[in-house]
Amino acid sequence: MEIRIDDLKGKEVALLLQEHHQDMLDHTPVESVHALDLTGLQAPDVTFWSAWIEGDLAGCGAIKIITTGHAELKSMRTARTHLRQGVARKLLTHILAEAEQQGITKVSLETGTPDSFIPAQKLYRDFGFNECGPFADYREDPYSLYMTKTLITG
């Protein structure tokens, strides 16, 4: 698998992000969907990665800087054609390592609470993320689960 920083200009990435956003809307009320659009993911405080297997887009993910040393994990998504093949684990491993290299000491995330989000919740727990309260501009929301992880740098 090749994981690279992506400029979000490719058609495949746009389609995967569109699928991601639609999936959020299928399981969560619009006011509880916190996925960034293409413009939001192209902001200077965001680093976006895409994962490719033999020329096929397998997944994506990003980090958004919240404050010095604290970033939010955003837009983690595995392409349907690559589900249950370890894409998310490899991508998350890569993103967390890159975050550490950028001097990030804490990574937080927001994911959903409906049953369709259980695989994501399990992945994050497996990586040492623990539940926390809302962070940054988030508020309590029955459709949101907030998690955080301290990175060991040095």
Side-chain angles (χ1 to χ4, degrees):
M1 180 178 343
E2 177 195 356
I3 300 173
R4 61 181 182 240
I5 292 177
D6 198 295
D7 63 10
L8 294 116
K9 293 182 180 174
K11 177 181 71 167
E12 300 95 339
V13 170
L15 288 172
L16 182 60
L17 290 170
Q18 184 177 27
E19 175 187 304
H20 177 60
H21 194 257
Q22 185 58 54
D23 193 43
M24 302 298 105
L25 291 172
D26 288 347
H27 297 99
T28 309
V30 67
E31 65 273 9
S32 296
V33 173
H34 303 289
L36 294 175
D37 62 12
L38 280 174
T39 302
L41 289 168
Q42 291 171 326
D45 59 347
V46 176
T47 305
F48 182 88
W49 290 270
S50 57
W52 301 81
I53 298 174
E54 296 179 9
D56 290 330
L57 179 60
C60 64
I63 55 171
K64 178 181 181 188
I65 303 301
I66 299 171
T67 60
T68 301
H70 188 193
E72 180 181 3
L73 184 66
K74 299 294 290 180
S75 299
M76 281 289 297
R77 182 70 177 194
T78 300
R80 287 187 179 135
T81 54
H82 291 85
L83 288 173
R84 288 173 283 291
Q85 297 175 22
V87 171
R89 288 186 176 280
K90 289 176 186 167
L91 192 53
L92 187 52
T93 298
H94 181 85
I95 291 171
L96 293 175
E98 290 289 317
E100 279 191 69
Q101 287 185 355
Q102 291 181 24
I104 303 298
T105 56
K106 181 178 179 181
V107 176
S108 301
L109 63 90
E110 180 274 339
T111 190
T113 57
D115 288 350
S116 59
F117 292 90
I118 289 173
Q121 294 171 14
K122 181 181 181 327
L123 172 72
Y124 300 135
R125 284 188 179 99
D126 288 351
F127 271 78
F129 283 85
N130 296 300
E131 291 184 31
C132 65
F135 59 92
D137 295 330
Y138 290 106
R139 293 186 168 39
E140 287 292 340
D141 184 331
Y143 288 93
S144 290
L145 174 67
Y146 305 102
M147 304 180 87
T148 195
K149 174 184 176 71
T150 299
L151 302 180
I152 300 166
T153 58

